[in-house]
Each structure stands twice: as C-alpha cells, then as structure tokens.
Amino acid sequence: MVSAPIPDRLAGRTPAFGAENRGSNPRPGAPVRGVFLAKVERVSQTRPAAIVILAAGEGTRMRSQTPKVLHALAGRTLLGHVVHVSRTLHPDRIVAVVGHGRDQVISHLADIDPDVATVVQVEQNGTGHAVRIALEALEGIDGTVVVLSGDSPLMTTETLMALVQSHEGELNSATVLTATLKDPTGYGRVIRSFDGTVEAIVEQGDADDDQRAVREVNSGMYAFALGPLREALNKISTDNAQGEEYLTDVVALMRTASLRVSAVSAAHPDEILGINDRAQLAHAGQVMRDRRTRELMLSGVTIIDPATTWVDVNVDVAPEAVLLPETHLVGATSIASGAVIGPRVTLVDTEVGENAQVRDATCELAVIGSDATVGPYTYLRPGTTLERGAKAGGFVEIKNSRVGEGSKVPHLSYVGDAEIGADTNIGAATVFVNFDGENKHRTVIGDSVRIGSDTMLVAPVTIGDGAYTAAGSVITEDVPPGAMAVARARQKIINGWVQRRRPGSSSARAADAAQGSASTQTPDE
Ligand code: UD1
Ligand code: CA
C-alpha cells in the first residue's frame, strides 16, 4: 500500500532528470513492493509511484481562446511549471488529464515532456471524475499517487516532498495539502473535528456560514494511497452545488470508512495559489518574479530594483552580473559575469558575454560578446553577433549580421545581412541597403575599414580590408582593399544666389553683413 523504492535507488543511484531515465527505468509492478523496502525508503528520499495532473477544465474565468493551463508565466506555461515540479519528485509515471483544448494541450506536452501520458476527459464532470479516468491509465499500479492541478504553478519540490513523506510515514489513505489564507474565498475549506483530524473538504458553494469562516483551504493537491482512492472514487456522487463529481468528497468517504486522512501545510501560502483569472495570473507572476530575483541576488547577482526586474525561469545569470531597473530577461537568455544590463532592456533568447554593457535596448536571438557595448535605443534582431569589444550605439538596428572584434556601429545606422571584420568603423547614419524590393543580399566589409557617414551600401557589395568610403556615398560596386570610394555628386558653389533670389530675407541680410556691404554681389549665375 505504501510506495516502495526501486532497486537502483537502494543502491544509492538517484534517477536523473532526463528522458532516457524516465523511459528506460519503469518502476516494477506491485509484486516487488513490500513494507520492508518502504521503511528503508522513508529514511531516504521518497518518490511517488505516479503523479496525476488535472488539466481538462475550461478555465472560463480566463476569458481566453487559449486553454487556461497553456497561459505563460515566467517563460513556461502553467502546465509546464506543474510538469517541471512533478519531475523533480522522480515519479515512475506522470499522467495528465486533458479535455478542453486538448489538441493544443497534448501537443504542448509532447514538446515539453513526451513521457507524460495523457488521458482524455471528454466532458468535464469534475475533479473526482477526472482522477477516476486518470486511474484507468494506472491499472495494476499500487503505492502513492500525488494529484496536482495544472492551474497551480507555484508549488515547490520541498513542499511536495514533505507531503509525500508525511503521507507515507503516517500510512495515510489521503493527505491533503492545505494552506491558511487571509482570504479563502473560492477555495474548498478544510473541516477538522475537535481533535484536529481532517473530516471533510467543503467547497465554497456548498459551505454554510461557519464553514466559510474557516481560513484553512484545500490546495487541490494531495497524496493518496491508490487502493483506497480507487474505492472511494467509485462512491462519489454529483449531489452538490455544481452537480459535479468532487475529488474533495473522497476525504469524507475515507473518514466514514475509518481510513486515515491527514493534512500537511504548504511551506508558504503562495505555493498553493490556483489561477482562475488573469488577475490571479498577474499575481502569480509577481510571486514568481520575487522568488527568481531573490534566488539570483543570493547567488551573487546585483539587482538594483527587484520589483521591475523580470527574469524567466530558464534564464541564466552569472554571479557578479548587474541588473538595472526595468530589465526583462526572457526565454533562453544568458548573462555572463560582470555584464551590466539595463536600465530598460529586454533580452529574448540572447547571450551576453563577460563585462558587456547593454542599456535601453531590445535584443532577440542575438549574441553580445564580452566587453561589447549596446545602446542606448538599440535594436538587435535575430542572427546578430557582436564580437568581443564591438559596439552597437544609439539608434542602431542590426539583423542577421556579424560585427567583428572591436568594430563599431556607433550612431543611427541600419545593418542588415552583413559580415563586418575587426577594427572597422561604420560612420553615422550608414544604411546597409540589403533589400532590392524582391530579395535580400549580403554585404561583406573587411578589417580596419572606415565607412563614411551616411554611406548607402547597396548589396551585394564587398568592401576590402583597410578601404574607405566618402561620406554620403551610394556604394554599388565592390571597393578594393586600401581604396577610397567616392560615389556622390561633386559640390558646386553659386556665389550671391541668396541675395539675388531671396532679397530682403534674413538670410540675405546675414550674408550681406558677413560680406561687409550690399554691393559685393558677383553676377555669377
Ligand atoms: C478545486 C478544489 C478546491 C480547491 C481548489 C484549489 C474540487 C471540487 N475543488 O476547486 O477544493 O480549494 O481546487 O485550487 O476539487 N479539472 C479537470 N476536470 C474537471 C474539472 C476540473 O481536469 O472535470 C481540472 C482543472 O482543469 C483544474 C483543476 O482540475 O486544473 C481544478 O479545477 P477547478 O475547476 O479550477 O477547481 P476549483 O474550483 O478551483
Ligand atoms: Ca482552480
């Protein structure tokens, strides 16, 4: 009845978090399990036989086209967070109950963790009905099953471990994870008898005034012994305010059958927050943000304003990096030691090297080398690489281009589809004219090149090492190494034009004053 360990764990091997382990290391069936092994297990790490994740509900209160559990929080979906924490317990199986938007949910699960089994709940007749369907996929399996909600993404490994340990240690049939909330509205209330034992869980809609006053709530997360759970689920009814099969009713049913039911409190009440609407989604986002920034600060990252610093769960920030206010680090971004990011920076899937500086910038799928500088007001688009010490300055946009070591694009430029060598300077307001109206073309620029301000580089074009272009040039042909390319009209002076064509104007008066008299016009035109 209690979960037994698998032999390799007794030999001291902790199963790794990885598909190869999950796939090739199925837990043996019930016959190998025994009380003796379970006792050995309890002193070491506990792991459940299965985890069931409920994710079939519609999530009406989100008012969304997207299934509720696929809404994002800090770089993972709500369901992704629940799958992730589930994996940290190393269960033998994870079964997700899907229903509403199931095609999307199933394909998302296949992306993030293909070893999660799915069962379909065609009509959402309640949490009890959902678990009953899930258990069909766990036929012949005994031990502990943990039930989690796909809409409760803040749960931690520590709390779930404590839940399983206490459940197995006390030989309970059910152990409810609870929390005491300031405002318990909407949650099922935990009803205890005079001696403190859990008697029942009563849903908000079914509770009387005394029961509603209880602030200890059901998290919607539980550990169950599979056998007693199966029996209890066969007895639940739909005789309640919502006309659904409540999973929570198994608590009272087990009590009636004189089975042990107990409760464990979450380490922090935030961990149990369930997301039913977008206000709760935002609140959970703040909780996640605070957790993440705190974790980073304790690891040696300086964060000036944690309230405006958002770091996704998969972002890597090395100690001694500095994050200034309004920094958003998204996706698979990584920041090396000594880098200074912000203020006002959004980095998506971007890699930043040691001691680089990025301010007032938006960068996506870019690689910013060590000692490179970016910003302010800079946009680095996918495929941009700045080599060591390179610069992308103010009002510069770069895409699909490599800027070589120590090279600079300091001001007001567009660089697209280019290869730029080392120690090259791109003058202000240069445009890499990469699009001919139909197709994109590449520009190749060598080392130690000096591109004059306001040069148009009409691709495809190659500028050799050490070459110059004159300011204002429209370069349409290749420039050999060491050459100066001038491609603009020669300047022409028409003396006295202003005094003749704009007589009496302030410009004419200024010109007259500069030239000492009104009679110095030269009939030159
Ligand atoms: C549930 C609990 C409540 C607890 C709260 C914690 C019941 C009856 N109530 O209420 O005691 O305080 O969670 O957040 O269990 N789902 C299915 N199939 C269904 C119905 C729901 O898969 O037929 C899934 C939902 O997608 C969701 C989870 O189960 O992920 C919880 O369902 P929800 O309707 O949100 O339950 P609550 O009303 O929040
Ligand atoms: Ca809920």
Side-chain angles (χ1 to χ4, degrees), residues 281-302:
L281 181 68
H283 178 67
Q286 288 161 7
V287 172
M288 196 79 88
R289 177 202 62 204
D290 292 345
R291 270 190 198 172
R292 195 75 185 98
T293 50
R294 185 178 162 73
E295 185 178 85
L296 290 171
M297 289 186 285
L298 296 182
S299 78
V301 175
T302 295

Side-chain angles (χ1 to χ4, degrees), residues 426-450:
I426 307 296
T430 292
V431 173
F432 286 60
V433 184
N434 60 332
F435 185 46
D436 66 10
E438 295 291 338
N439 296 300
K440 303 280 172 71
H441 303 279
R442 286 194 77 75
T443 298
V444 178
I445 296 186
D447 296 339
S448 300
V449 168
R450 301 288 177 261

Side-chain angles (χ1 to χ4, degrees), residues 61 68 149 151-152 274-276:
R61 285 169 279 174
K68 173 166 79 171
S149 269
D151 67 353
S152 302
I275 290 167
N276 298 308

Side-chain angles (χ1 to χ4, degrees), residues 40 202 214 282 295 330 353 371 400 422 427 445 511:
V40 176
V202 179
V214 172
E295 185 178 85
V330 179
D371 301 307
N400 190 28
I445 296 186

